[in-house]
Amino acid sequence: MAGQVLVGTDGSESSLEAVAAAAREARLSGVDLEIVHAFIWPLVKAPTAAAPISQPTSRLRDQADEIVTAAVEHARVAEPQLSAIRGEVVTGEPLTILAARSREASLVVVGSRGLGGFTGLLIGSVAVHLAAHAHCPVLVLRGRAAAEGPVAVAVDGSGDAQAAVDEAFAHAARRATGLLAVQVWSTWTGPGREWPGDMAPLVFDVDKLREECERTLADAVAPGHARHPDVAVEERVVEGRARPVLIEASGEAQLIVVGARGLGGFTGLLLGSVSQALLQHADCPVLVVRRSPEGIEGTEGTEGA
């Protein structure tokens, strides 16, 4: 893994959990850990006739420094063997800062929710935005932080899904655990529906369709298994709808990996329906993987449910 592990912190419990998880990923990968707190107060415009704000601004800056100092210490306690830890307060908006810095990172880690926002939401705006716009894989902590179980990965034959499989093998190898590769199929996702408006065939050879899915799954995991022969692989082909099947699979995994977008759906979306569903409802942390930086801006690949 090249590049540092990047994690944002805002002092919330969720962000400190992300810091600990990021420290673990950095240790397992043998890379540095970079902790960033985006300090937005200097960007807030105040009337020139207002009372002097130097003292409040100074106090807020001190609080920002304290947040980073606490996060660095939290990382050291969580992973004492990790020596390369950098903490920094950066002036800017969190979404913009983390997305920009993801260009130099190998992984971005965020909590599912931070401070602010709407308490009724299942996942925070930073996590969703980074999953859609980051230039490297994004690990979103949600559900239970299980210490056991395989790394699960969603397979559908798309480019993003193949990138997810490759990343899942690497994470399984670092965790010394197995890989659960899941391909979901139905007559709705069968051949003949390359575009959302295409008519589905009136009659399917169900056995042939299942065999095609089994072959797609086997082809997807073969390169990763050759690189990581010690990783035990379970190939699971399931008839049904992708979202509920994969959410259920997350209940037995310590991590579930999904491509940002898969087959089907709408080409303008940066995140497909399956990846969004897992971000909202998975029972374990979710790693969202994109095929290449070019895909971030927009038009390649789609995903259906």
Side-chain angles (χ1 to χ4, degrees):
M1 179 182 281
Q4 72 276 12
V5 172
L6 173 68
V7 60
T9 182
D10 60 8
S12 66
E13 182 178 350
S14 175
S15 73
L16 288 178
E17 292 173 356
V19 166
R24 181 189 183 215
E25 294 297 332
R27 175 180 60 81
L28 291 173
S29 306
V31 299
D32 297 352
L33 174 64
E34 181 178 4
I35 303 172
V36 173
H37 174 67
F39 182 60
I40 199 171
W41 176 257
L43 302 181
V44 178
K45 298 184 182 298
T48 56
I53 61 172
S54 59
Q55 291 183 351
T57 300
S58 176
R59 288 197 298 270
L60 288 170
R61 174 66 194 218
D62 289 343
Q63 291 174 3
D65 290 336
E66 289 170 2
I67 287 173
V68 171
T69 299
V72 169
E73 181 60 25
H74 192 74
R76 289 194 177 121
V77 171
E79 297 293 341
Q81 295 178 338
L82 182 62
S83 58
I85 303 174
R86 298 189 301 274
E88 184 179 1
V89 176
V90 182
T91 299
E93 194 274 329
L95 300 178
T96 304
I97 294 296
L98 291 173
R101 293 211 169 191
S102 71
R103 292 181 181 274
E104 307 300 325
S106 56
L107 178 69
V108 177
V109 182
V110 292
S112 60
R113 294 198 52 78
L115 297 174
F118 299 92
T119 57
L121 296 177
L122 295 177
I123 191 168
S125 59
V126 172
V128 173
H129 180 90
L130 286 175
H133 295 279
H135 297 260
C136 66
V138 177
L139 175 61
V140 179
L141 301 186
R142 61 154 296 107
R144 74 197 194 292
E148 299 180 352
V151 171
V153 61
V155 180
D156 67 0
S158 66
D160 277 11
Q162 186 59 56
V165 171
D166 296 341
E167 195 74 22
F169 265 106
H171 280 265
R174 287 196 289 269
R175 287 168 166 76
T177 190
L179 181 75
L180 170 61
V182 182
Q183 168 111 13
V184 185
W185 70 279
S186 69
T187 54
W188 177 259
T189 59
R193 294 187 57 86
E194 296 182 3
W195 301 98
D198 287 352
M199 292 292 293
L202 296 178
V203 178
F204 282 97
D205 185 332
V206 175
D207 291 336
K208 182 179 179 181
L209 179 57
R210 182 181 179 88
E211 289 173 1
E212 290 176 351
C213 290
E214 290 173 345
R215 185 163 54 252
T216 297
L217 180 56
D219 290 344
V221 302
H225 204 192
R227 290 191 297 271
H228 303 281
D230 293 335
V231 174
V233 179
E234 177 186 348
E235 299 177 20
R236 185 180 298 177
V237 176
V238 182
E239 182 179 7
R241 296 176 60 243
R243 283 172 287 187
V245 169
L246 292 170
I247 290 170
E248 182 178 359
S250 73
E252 59 186 283
Q254 61 175 277
L255 171 71
I256 187 163
V257 188
V258 63
R261 306 206 21 222
L263 298 174
F266 300 93
T267 58
L269 297 178
L270 293 176
L271 280 181
S273 60
V274 171
S275 54
Q276 290 192 54
L278 286 171
L279 285 173
Q280 296 288 350
H281 301 290
D283 196 38
C284 68
V286 179
L287 182 66
V288 180
V289 180
R290 199 174 299 278
R291 172 175 22 181
S292 65
E294 288 74 19
I296 296 168
E297 299 302 330
T299 58
E300 291 188 348
T302 54
E303 180 173 322

PDB file of all heavy atoms in Angstrom, residues 129-164:
ATOM      1  N   HIS A 129     -19.994  12.099   1.161  1.00  0.00           N
ATOM      2  CA  HIS A 129     -19.269  12.910   0.185  1.00  0.00           C
ATOM      3  C   HIS A 129     -17.935  12.270  -0.178  1.00  0.00           C
ATOM      4  O   HIS A 129     -17.575  12.191  -1.362  1.00  0.00           O
ATOM      5  CB  HIS A 129     -19.039  14.311   0.759  1.00  0.00           C
ATOM      6  CG  HIS A 129     -18.296  15.218  -0.172  1.00  0.00           C
ATOM      7  ND1 HIS A 129     -18.933  16.023  -1.087  1.00  0.00           N
ATOM      8  CD2 HIS A 129     -16.959  15.437  -0.334  1.00  0.00           C
ATOM      9  CE1 HIS A 129     -18.030  16.708  -1.775  1.00  0.00           C
ATOM     10  NE2 HIS A 129     -16.830  16.376  -1.335  1.00  0.00           N
ATOM     11  N   LEU A 130     -17.195  11.813   0.813  1.00  0.00           N
ATOM     12  CA  LEU A 130     -15.894  11.213   0.530  1.00  0.00           C
ATOM     13  C   LEU A 130     -16.036   9.905  -0.237  1.00  0.00           C
ATOM     14  O   LEU A 130     -15.231   9.608  -1.119  1.00  0.00           O
ATOM     15  CB  LEU A 130     -15.127  10.995   1.823  1.00  0.00           C
ATOM     16  CG  LEU A 130     -14.550  12.259   2.459  1.00  0.00           C
ATOM     17  CD1 LEU A 130     -13.911  11.935   3.802  1.00  0.00           C
ATOM     18  CD2 LEU A 130     -13.538  12.922   1.533  1.00  0.00           C
ATOM     19  N   ALA A 131     -17.045   9.109   0.101  1.00  0.00           N
ATOM     20  CA  ALA A 131     -17.256   7.867  -0.640  1.00  0.00           C
ATOM     21  C   ALA A 131     -17.497   8.149  -2.116  1.00  0.00           C
ATOM     22  O   ALA A 131     -17.131   7.352  -2.984  1.00  0.00           O
ATOM     23  CB  ALA A 131     -18.431   7.097  -0.042  1.00  0.00           C
ATOM     24  N   ALA A 132     -18.098   9.301  -2.413  1.00  0.00           N
ATOM     25  CA  ALA A 132     -18.390   9.652  -3.802  1.00  0.00           C
ATOM     26  C   ALA A 132     -17.240  10.376  -4.490  1.00  0.00           C
ATOM     27  O   ALA A 132     -17.084  10.266  -5.706  1.00  0.00           O
ATOM     28  CB  ALA A 132     -19.645  10.528  -3.858  1.00  0.00           C
ATOM     29  N   HIS A 133     -16.413  11.116  -3.737  1.00  0.00           N
ATOM     30  CA  HIS A 133     -15.454  12.024  -4.371  1.00  0.00           C
ATOM     31  C   HIS A 133     -13.985  11.753  -4.059  1.00  0.00           C
ATOM     32  O   HIS A 133     -13.118  12.368  -4.692  1.00  0.00           O
ATOM     33  CB  HIS A 133     -15.775  13.465  -3.966  1.00  0.00           C
ATOM     34  CG  HIS A 133     -17.096  13.946  -4.484  1.00  0.00           C
ATOM     35  ND1 HIS A 133     -17.279  14.414  -5.766  1.00  0.00           N
ATOM     36  CD2 HIS A 133     -18.315  14.024  -3.885  1.00  0.00           C
ATOM     37  CE1 HIS A 133     -18.543  14.764  -5.945  1.00  0.00           C
ATOM     38  NE2 HIS A 133     -19.190  14.538  -4.813  1.00  0.00           N
ATOM     39  N   ALA A 134     -13.683  10.909  -3.103  1.00  0.00           N
ATOM     40  CA  ALA A 134     -12.279  10.697  -2.752  1.00  0.00           C
ATOM     41  C   ALA A 134     -11.518  10.031  -3.896  1.00  0.00           C
ATOM     42  O   ALA A 134     -12.096   9.321  -4.723  1.00  0.00           O
ATOM     43  CB  ALA A 134     -12.164   9.851  -1.486  1.00  0.00           C
ATOM     44  N   HIS A 135     -10.210  10.256  -3.916  1.00  0.00           N
ATOM     45  CA  HIS A 135      -9.340   9.713  -4.956  1.00  0.00           C
ATOM     46  C   HIS A 135      -8.659   8.419  -4.524  1.00  0.00           C
ATOM     47  O   HIS A 135      -7.691   7.994  -5.153  1.00  0.00           O
ATOM     48  CB  HIS A 135      -8.296  10.759  -5.342  1.00  0.00           C
ATOM     49  CG  HIS A 135      -8.888  11.999  -5.932  1.00  0.00           C
ATOM     50  ND1 HIS A 135      -8.934  12.245  -7.288  1.00  0.00           N
ATOM     51  CD2 HIS A 135      -9.481  13.065  -5.338  1.00  0.00           C
ATOM     52  CE1 HIS A 135      -9.522  13.405  -7.511  1.00  0.00           C
ATOM     53  NE2 HIS A 135      -9.858  13.929  -6.345  1.00  0.00           N
ATOM     54  N   CYS A 136      -9.124   7.813  -3.461  1.00  0.00           N
ATOM     55  CA  CYS A 136      -8.590   6.546  -2.974  1.00  0.00           C
ATOM     56  C   CYS A 136      -9.731   5.830  -2.251  1.00  0.00           C
ATOM     57  O   CYS A 136     -10.798   6.421  -2.028  1.00  0.00           O
ATOM     58  CB  CYS A 136      -7.405   6.763  -2.037  1.00  0.00           C
ATOM     59  SG  CYS A 136      -7.824   7.598  -0.489  1.00  0.00           S
ATOM     60  N   PRO A 137      -9.560   4.563  -1.878  1.00  0.00           N
ATOM     61  CA  PRO A 137     -10.621   3.871  -1.139  1.00  0.00           C
ATOM     62  C   PRO A 137     -10.974   4.598   0.157  1.00  0.00           C
ATOM     63  O   PRO A 137     -10.119   5.235   0.786  1.00  0.00           O
ATOM     64  CB  PRO A 137     -10.004   2.497  -0.856  1.00  0.00           C
ATOM     65  CG  PRO A 137      -9.024   2.298  -1.968  1.00  0.00           C
ATOM     66  CD  PRO A 137      -8.450   3.653  -2.237  1.00  0.00           C
ATOM     67  N   VAL A 138     -12.252   4.508   0.543  1.00  0.00           N
ATOM     68  CA  VAL A 138     -12.757   5.179   1.733  1.00  0.00           C
ATOM     69  C   VAL A 138     -13.352   4.134   2.669  1.00  0.00           C
ATOM     70  O   VAL A 138     -14.251   3.379   2.284  1.00  0.00           O
ATOM     71  CB  VAL A 138     -13.824   6.229   1.381  1.00  0.00           C
ATOM     72  CG1 VAL A 138     -14.402   6.866   2.650  1.00  0.00           C
ATOM     73  CG2 VAL A 138     -13.234   7.304   0.478  1.00  0.00           C
ATOM     74  N   LEU A 139     -12.846   4.106   3.897  1.00  0.00           N
ATOM     75  CA  LEU A 139     -13.359   3.199   4.918  1.00  0.00           C
ATOM     76  C   LEU A 139     -14.272   3.986   5.845  1.00  0.00           C
ATOM     77  O   LEU A 139     -13.838   4.932   6.506  1.00  0.00           O
ATOM     78  CB  LEU A 139     -12.202   2.584   5.716  1.00  0.00           C
ATOM     79  CG  LEU A 139     -12.582   1.687   6.900  1.00  0.00           C
ATOM     80  CD1 LEU A 139     -13.400   0.485   6.431  1.00  0.00           C
ATOM     81  CD2 LEU A 139     -11.337   1.234   7.651  1.00  0.00           C
ATOM     82  N   VAL A 140     -15.540   3.593   5.868  1.00  0.00           N
ATOM     83  CA  VAL A 140     -16.533   4.255   6.710  1.00  0.00           C
ATOM     84  C   VAL A 140     -16.897   3.313   7.851  1.00  0.00           C
ATOM     85  O   VAL A 140     -17.350   2.187   7.624  1.00  0.00           O
ATOM     86  CB  VAL A 140     -17.794   4.634   5.906  1.00  0.00           C
ATOM     87  CG1 VAL A 140     -18.830   5.293   6.819  1.00  0.00           C
ATOM     88  CG2 VAL A 140     -17.430   5.564   4.751  1.00  0.00           C
ATOM     89  N   LEU A 141     -16.696   3.782   9.077  1.00  0.00           N
ATOM     90  CA  LEU A 141     -17.004   2.953  10.234  1.00  0.00           C
ATOM     91  C   LEU A 141     -18.488   3.051  10.553  1.00  0.00           C
ATOM     92  O   LEU A 141     -19.006   4.136  10.797  1.00  0.00           O
ATOM     93  CB  LEU A 141     -16.182   3.413  11.445  1.00  0.00           C
ATOM     94  CG  LEU A 141     -14.676   3.375  11.274  1.00  0.00           C
ATOM     95  CD1 LEU A 141     -14.009   3.705  12.596  1.00  0.00           C
ATOM     96  CD2 LEU A 141     -14.203   2.026  10.771  1.00  0.00           C
ATOM     97  N   ARG A 142     -19.141   1.933  10.543  1.00  0.00           N
ATOM     98  CA  ARG A 142     -20.531   1.874  10.936  1.00  0.00           C
ATOM     99  C   ARG A 142     -20.812   0.452  11.429  1.00  0.00           C
ATOM    100  O   ARG A 142     -19.969  -0.433  11.308  1.00  0.00           O
ATOM    101  CB  ARG A 142     -21.468   2.247   9.791  1.00  0.00           C
ATOM    102  CG  ARG A 142     -21.402   1.363   8.559  1.00  0.00           C
ATOM    103  CD  ARG A 142     -22.726   1.414   7.815  1.00  0.00           C
ATOM    104  NE  ARG A 142     -23.794   0.861   8.640  1.00  0.00           N
ATOM    105  CZ  ARG A 142     -24.752   1.602   9.233  1.00  0.00           C
ATOM    106  NH1 ARG A 142     -24.797   2.895   9.070  1.00  0.00           N
ATOM    107  NH2 ARG A 142     -25.664   1.025   9.990  1.00  0.00           N
ATOM    108  N   GLY A 143     -21.987   0.236  11.980  1.00  0.00           N
ATOM    109  CA  GLY A 143     -22.317  -1.085  12.480  1.00  0.00           C
ATOM    110  C   GLY A 143     -21.396  -1.469  13.620  1.00  0.00           C
ATOM    111  O   GLY A 143     -20.859  -0.626  14.336  1.00  0.00           O
ATOM    112  N   ARG A 144     -21.186  -2.742  13.781  1.00  0.00           N
ATOM    113  CA  ARG A 144     -20.311  -3.218  14.842  1.00  0.00           C
ATOM    114  C   ARG A 144     -18.876  -3.272  14.334  1.00  0.00           C
ATOM    115  O   ARG A 144     -18.623  -3.486  13.156  1.00  0.00           O
ATOM    116  CB  ARG A 144     -20.755  -4.607  15.302  1.00  0.00           C
ATOM    117  CG  ARG A 144     -20.397  -5.690  14.312  1.00  0.00           C
ATOM    118  CD  ARG A 144     -21.143  -6.979  14.515  1.00  0.00           C
ATOM    119  NE  ARG A 144     -20.518  -8.045  13.761  1.00  0.00           N
ATOM    120  CZ  ARG A 144     -20.508  -8.120  12.434  1.00  0.00           C
ATOM    121  NH1 ARG A 144     -21.086  -7.180  11.717  1.00  0.00           N
ATOM    122  NH2 ARG A 144     -19.897  -9.126  11.829  1.00  0.00           N
ATOM    123  N   ALA A 145     -17.931  -3.081  15.219  1.00  0.00           N
ATOM    124  CA  ALA A 145     -16.519  -3.195  14.867  1.00  0.00           C
ATOM    125  C   ALA A 145     -16.070  -4.601  15.242  1.00  0.00           C
ATOM    126  O   ALA A 145     -15.425  -4.817  16.262  1.00  0.00           O
ATOM    127  CB  ALA A 145     -15.692  -2.146  15.583  1.00  0.00           C
ATOM    128  N   ALA A 146     -16.436  -5.588  14.445  1.00  0.00           N
ATOM    129  CA  ALA A 146     -16.178  -6.992  14.769  1.00  0.00           C
ATOM    130  C   ALA A 146     -14.701  -7.306  14.648  1.00  0.00           C
ATOM    131  O   ALA A 146     -14.030  -6.870  13.717  1.00  0.00           O
ATOM    132  CB  ALA A 146     -16.989  -7.900  13.854  1.00  0.00           C
ATOM    133  N   ALA A 147     -14.205  -8.082  15.598  1.00  0.00           N
ATOM    134  CA  ALA A 147     -12.808  -8.506  15.547  1.00  0.00           C
ATOM    135  C   ALA A 147     -12.649  -9.790  14.741  1.00  0.00           C
ATOM    136  O   ALA A 147     -11.544 -10.163  14.386  1.00  0.00           O
ATOM    137  CB  ALA A 147     -12.273  -8.711  16.963  1.00  0.00           C
ATOM    138  N   GLU A 148     -13.738 -10.484  14.480  1.00  0.00           N
ATOM    139  CA  GLU A 148     -13.676 -11.760  13.779  1.00  0.00           C
ATOM    140  C   GLU A 148     -14.582 -11.729  12.549  1.00  0.00           C
ATOM    141  O   GLU A 148     -15.385 -10.815  12.365  1.00  0.00           O
ATOM    142  CB  GLU A 148     -14.090 -12.896  14.711  1.00  0.00           C
ATOM    143  CG  GLU A 148     -13.187 -13.050  15.932  1.00  0.00           C
ATOM    144  CD  GLU A 148     -13.631 -14.188  16.823  1.00  0.00           C
ATOM    145  OE1 GLU A 148     -14.720 -14.744  16.573  1.00  0.00           O
ATOM    146  OE2 GLU A 148     -12.890 -14.513  17.762  1.00  0.00           O
ATOM    147  N   GLY A 149     -14.447 -12.768  11.734  1.00  0.00           N
ATOM    148  CA  GLY A 149     -15.252 -12.857  10.530  1.00  0.00           C
ATOM    149  C   GLY A 149     -14.430 -12.561   9.300  1.00  0.00           C
ATOM    150  O   GLY A 149     -13.350 -11.958   9.376  1.00  0.00           O
ATOM    151  N   PRO A 150     -14.917 -12.947   8.129  1.00  0.00           N
ATOM    152  CA  PRO A 150     -14.178 -12.723   6.887  1.00  0.00           C
ATOM    153  C   PRO A 150     -14.319 -11.286   6.403  1.00  0.00           C
ATOM    154  O   PRO A 150     -15.113 -10.505   6.937  1.00  0.00           O
ATOM    155  CB  PRO A 150     -14.863 -13.685   5.916  1.00  0.00           C
ATOM    156  CG  PRO A 150     -16.287 -13.719   6.400  1.00  0.00           C
ATOM    157  CD  PRO A 150     -16.198 -13.647   7.905  1.00  0.00           C
ATOM    158  N   VAL A 151     -13.556 -10.946   5.393  1.00  0.00           N
ATOM    159  CA  VAL A 151     -13.786  -9.737   4.622  1.00  0.00           C
ATOM    160  C   VAL A 151     -14.739 -10.120   3.497  1.00  0.00           C
ATOM    161  O   VAL A 151     -14.468 -11.040   2.730  1.00  0.00           O
ATOM    162  CB  VAL A 151     -12.472  -9.181   4.045  1.00  0.00           C
ATOM    163  CG1 VAL A 151     -12.757  -8.040   3.066  1.00  0.00           C
ATOM    164  CG2 VAL A 151     -11.559  -8.702   5.160  1.00  0.00           C
ATOM    165  N   ALA A 152     -15.882  -9.452   3.430  1.00  0.00           N
ATOM    166  CA  ALA A 152     -16.868  -9.722   2.385  1.00  0.00           C
ATOM    167  C   ALA A 152     -16.693  -8.724   1.249  1.00  0.00           C
ATOM    168  O   ALA A 152     -16.289  -7.577   1.478  1.00  0.00           O
ATOM    169  CB  ALA A 152     -18.284  -9.651   2.943  1.00  0.00           C
ATOM    170  N   VAL A 153     -16.996  -9.157   0.039  1.00  0.00           N
ATOM    171  CA  VAL A 153     -16.889  -8.261  -1.108  1.00  0.00           C
ATOM    172  C   VAL A 153     -18.015  -8.557  -2.085  1.00  0.00           C
ATOM    173  O   VAL A 153     -18.386  -9.712  -2.298  1.00  0.00           O
ATOM    174  CB  VAL A 153     -15.509  -8.393  -1.808  1.00  0.00           C
ATOM    175  CG1 VAL A 153     -15.282  -9.809  -2.338  1.00  0.00           C
ATOM    176  CG2 VAL A 153     -15.355  -7.365  -2.924  1.00  0.00           C
ATOM    177  N   ALA A 154     -18.562  -7.490  -2.663  1.00  0.00           N
ATOM    178  CA  ALA A 154     -19.632  -7.611  -3.644  1.00  0.00           C
ATOM    179  C   ALA A 154     -19.040  -7.695  -5.043  1.00  0.00           C
ATOM    180  O   ALA A 154     -18.187  -6.890  -5.423  1.00  0.00           O
ATOM    181  CB  ALA A 154     -20.569  -6.412  -3.545  1.00  0.00           C
ATOM    182  N   VAL A 155     -19.508  -8.668  -5.820  1.00  0.00           N
ATOM    183  CA  VAL A 155     -19.003  -8.904  -7.174  1.00  0.00           C
ATOM    184  C   VAL A 155     -20.158  -8.813  -8.156  1.00  0.00           C
ATOM    185  O   VAL A 155     -21.234  -9.371  -7.907  1.00  0.00           O
ATOM    186  CB  VAL A 155     -18.341 -10.292  -7.290  1.00  0.00           C
ATOM    187  CG1 VAL A 155     -17.811 -10.517  -8.703  1.00  0.00           C
ATOM    188  CG2 VAL A 155     -17.221 -10.445  -6.266  1.00  0.00           C
ATOM    189  N   ASP A 156     -19.966  -8.089  -9.274  1.00  0.00           N
ATOM    190  CA  ASP A 156     -20.997  -8.069 -10.314  1.00  0.00           C
ATOM    191  C   ASP A 156     -20.417  -7.994 -11.725  1.00  0.00           C
ATOM    192  O   ASP A 156     -21.143  -7.823 -12.692  1.00  0.00           O
ATOM    193  CB  ASP A 156     -21.982  -6.914 -10.093  1.00  0.00           C
ATOM    194  CG  ASP A 156     -21.344  -5.535 -10.295  1.00  0.00           C
ATOM    195  OD1 ASP A 156     -20.133  -5.471 -10.616  1.00  0.00           O
ATOM    196  OD2 ASP A 156     -22.051  -4.525 -10.123  1.00  0.00           O
ATOM    197  N   GLY A 157     -19.100  -8.090 -11.841  1.00  0.00           N
ATOM    198  CA  GLY A 157     -18.487  -8.073 -13.167  1.00  0.00           C
ATOM    199  C   GLY A 157     -18.102  -6.691 -13.654  1.00  0.00           C
ATOM    200  O   GLY A 157     -17.529  -6.563 -14.740  1.00  0.00           O
ATOM    201  N   SER A 158     -18.387  -5.634 -12.886  1.00  0.00           N
ATOM    202  CA  SER A 158     -18.036  -4.277 -13.299  1.00  0.00           C
ATOM    203  C   SER A 158     -16.583  -3.969 -12.954  1.00  0.00           C
ATOM    204  O   SER A 158     -15.945  -4.672 -12.166  1.00  0.00           O
ATOM    205  CB  SER A 158     -18.954  -3.264 -12.612  1.00  0.00           C
ATOM    206  OG  SER A 158     -18.723  -3.266 -11.217  1.00  0.00           O
ATOM    207  N   GLY A 159     -16.077  -2.869 -13.519  1.00  0.00           N
ATOM    208  CA  GLY A 159     -14.705  -2.470 -13.236  1.00  0.00           C
ATOM    209  C   GLY A 159     -14.497  -2.079 -11.792  1.00  0.00           C
ATOM    210  O   GLY A 159     -13.487  -2.437 -11.169  1.00  0.00           O
ATOM    211  N   ASP A 160     -15.432  -1.323 -11.212  1.00  0.00           N
ATOM    212  CA  ASP A 160     -15.315  -0.940  -9.810  1.00  0.00           C
ATOM    213  C   ASP A 160     -15.379  -2.155  -8.899  1.00  0.00           C
ATOM    214  O   ASP A 160     -14.670  -2.226  -7.886  1.00  0.00           O
ATOM    215  CB  ASP A 160     -16.432   0.041  -9.433  1.00  0.00           C
ATOM    216  CG  ASP A 160     -16.093   1.479  -9.810  1.00  0.00           C
ATOM    217  OD1 ASP A 160     -15.101   1.680 -10.538  1.00  0.00           O
ATOM    218  OD2 ASP A 160     -16.824   2.390  -9.381  1.00  0.00           O
ATOM    219  N   ALA A 161     -16.225  -3.126  -9.245  1.00  0.00           N
ATOM    220  CA  ALA A 161     -16.324  -4.339  -8.427  1.00  0.00           C
ATOM    221  C   ALA A 161     -15.017  -5.127  -8.463  1.00  0.00           C
ATOM    222  O   ALA A 161     -14.599  -5.691  -7.449  1.00  0.00           O
ATOM    223  CB  ALA A 161     -17.481  -5.209  -8.905  1.00  0.00           C
ATOM    224  N   GLN A 162     -14.360  -5.167  -9.627  1.00  0.00           N
ATOM    225  CA  GLN A 162     -13.079  -5.871  -9.705  1.00  0.00           C
ATOM    226  C   GLN A 162     -12.020  -5.174  -8.847  1.00  0.00           C
ATOM    227  O   GLN A 162     -11.221  -5.821  -8.167  1.00  0.00           O
ATOM    228  CB  GLN A 162     -12.593  -5.951 -11.153  1.00  0.00           C
ATOM    229  CG  GLN A 162     -11.345  -6.805 -11.322  1.00  0.00           C
ATOM    230  CD  GLN A 162     -11.560  -8.246 -10.853  1.00  0.00           C
ATOM    231  OE1 GLN A 162     -12.474  -8.927 -11.316  1.00  0.00           O
ATOM    232  NE2 GLN A 162     -10.743  -8.701  -9.916  1.00  0.00           N
ATOM    233  N   ALA A 163     -12.035  -3.835  -8.862  1.00  0.00           N
ATOM    234  CA  ALA A 163     -11.121  -3.097  -7.990  1.00  0.00           C
ATOM    235  C   ALA A 163     -11.430  -3.392  -6.528  1.00  0.00           C
ATOM    236  O   ALA A 163     -10.515  -3.502  -5.699  1.00  0.00           O
ATOM    237  CB  ALA A 163     -11.237  -1.596  -8.257  1.00  0.00           C
ATOM    238  N   ALA A 164     -12.718  -3.546  -6.205  1.00  0.00           N
ATOM    239  CA  ALA A 164     -13.112  -3.880  -4.839  1.00  0.00           C
ATOM    240  C   ALA A 164     -12.613  -5.266  -4.450  1.00  0.00           C
ATOM    241  O   ALA A 164     -12.167  -5.483  -3.315  1.00  0.00           O
ATOM    242  CB  ALA A 164     -14.630  -3.801  -4.698  1.00  0.00           C
TER     243      ALA A 164
END
